[in-house]
Amino acid sequence: MSDKPVIPANWKAPFFTIWTGQTFSLIGSQIVQFALVWWLTEQTGSATVLATATLVAMLPMIVFGPFAGALVDRWNRRLVMIVADGAVALASLWLAYMFWIDAVQIWQVYLIMFIRALGGAFQWPAMQASTTLMVPEQHLTRVAGMNQTLNGALNIVGPPLGALAMSLMPLSGVMMLDVGTAMLAVVPLLFVRIPQPAQSSSVIAGAPRPSLLADVSEAVRYVRGWPGLLALIGAAMIIKIALTPAFALLPLLVNQYFGGEAAQLGMLEAVFGVGVVASGLLLSVWGGFRRRVYTLLSGLLILSGGLLALGLT
């Protein structure tokens, strides 16, 4: 007997209602993230401040990332998404007020970035896990493609929209945009049912459920037992550690070296997003080399070449 709940014939309506709300929330998050980073750039012009902001935004995923999936499987996924989006909305509302009374301090921006990242660390795994129970199996690949396209599109439209929002309204108004888009994600969750995974036969029979640490340890053992996967994850971590500081300092490059404004930074980040989408489309058509590691190494060489050329400017 399958543990997967029966998916109703009219699955599209509830799924796309939730998916659309989450899309608006992600757009709002991109706009606010861009605006906060540019505000820090203009207010401080400090590489240390931008690097600290990047670290603060990464900490929740570093600390909670290994446990988020296992926790989401234990909790009510609908409630996880409501709490995550609601916490982000409340944090943005508070910072909007601080901007409105002109009393914002750097540490407050750090705190908001941390709360936003913490919400994302649980919200996105809950949404992805729910997708498999809301969509028929034959459509899962298409939905995965939609999500990948959405991520690429956000990289293209998010920064320019952030620059546009900053040119049209004060930062308090920009923060309120995030509150509004978060509410667009929360409201559908109050009415649409999110299925939970059925209990396994061992749990139903009364056997104790493995602990959280046991689940995480099992995942670690699985990765360690696959040397190729372990090497790939290790390489990805090294690349992430090396590239994150470079991209964190892009606002300073635009503002202090080229004398640009938010619009120029938005265009630069949008061009990067276009490259991400274009490479994804190319890979989907081409399929890559027969040995996938060659495709991976080719991509790293192109990325390294582009960063080298940018540095030489």
Side-chain angles (χ1 to χ4, degrees), residues 9-24:
N10 61 338
W11 63 270
K12 292 182 180 179
F15 170 75
F16 282 105
T17 299
I18 297 298
W19 189 86
T20 302
Q22 296 296 318
T23 298
F24 278 112

Side-chain angles (χ1 to χ4, degrees), residues 15 18-19 22 81 122-132:
F15 170 75
I18 297 298
W19 189 86
Q22 296 296 318
M81 289 187 282
F122 288 94
Q123 185 271 343
W124 189 243
M127 179 59 188
Q128 287 184 312
S130 299
T131 298
T132 60

Side-chain angles (χ1 to χ4, degrees), residues 89-292:
L90 290 175
S92 296
L93 182 62
W94 174 71
L95 192 60
Y97 172 73
M98 299 305 294
F99 273 118
W100 184 56
I101 64 174
D102 196 23
V104 175
Q105 299 181 36
I106 301 298
W107 71 266
Q108 295 169 341
V109 176
Y110 289 162
L111 177 61
I112 296 303
M113 286 184 164
F114 180 85
I115 294 174
R116 294 169 58 81
L118 181 61
F122 288 94
Q123 185 271 343
W124 189 243
M127 179 59 188
Q128 287 184 312
S130 299
T131 298
T132 60
L133 302 179
M134 297 179 70
V135 178
E137 188 173 354
Q138 64 269 27
H139 295 296
L140 287 177
T141 302
R142 294 177 180 174
V143 171
M146 286 172 48
N147 289 335
Q148 291 295 330
T149 303
L150 173 62
N151 286 332
L154 288 174
N155 290 329
I156 296 174
V157 304
L161 286 177
L164 177 62
M166 293 184 70
S167 68
L168 296 177
M169 63 185 73
L171 272 172
S172 58
V174 176
M175 298 304 302
M176 290 304 298
L177 279 178
D178 193 37
V179 176
T181 55
M183 289 299 97
L184 288 176
V186 170
V187 171
L189 289 169
L190 299 176
F191 303 98
V192 177
R193 176 181 173 271
I194 302 294
Q196 289 290 114
Q199 291 183 329
S200 65
S201 57
S202 61
V203 174
I204 295 175
R209 183 171 188 171
S211 66
L212 175 64
L213 289 178
D215 280 349
V216 175
S217 298
E218 179 62 28
V220 172
R221 284 194 296 269
Y222 176 79
V223 173
R224 290 179 61 183
W226 191 348
L229 179 60
L230 183 61
L232 183 61
I233 293 176
M237 290 178 60
I238 294 173
I239 294 169
K240 183 71 173 179
I241 292 172
L243 292 185
T244 297
F247 284 106
L249 298 180
L250 276 180
L252 287 183
L253 178 70
V254 171
N255 182 253
Q256 295 188 1
Y257 187 82
F258 291 111
E261 299 295 335
Q264 282 71 44
L265 177 62
M267 184 178 297
L268 179 63
E269 294 189 5
V271 169
F272 179 80
V274 170
V276 172
V277 173
S279 63
L281 292 175
L282 174 63
L283 190 60
S284 65
V285 174
W286 168 40
F289 295 107
R290 179 169 298 181
R291 296 195 63 180
R292 296 180 180 178

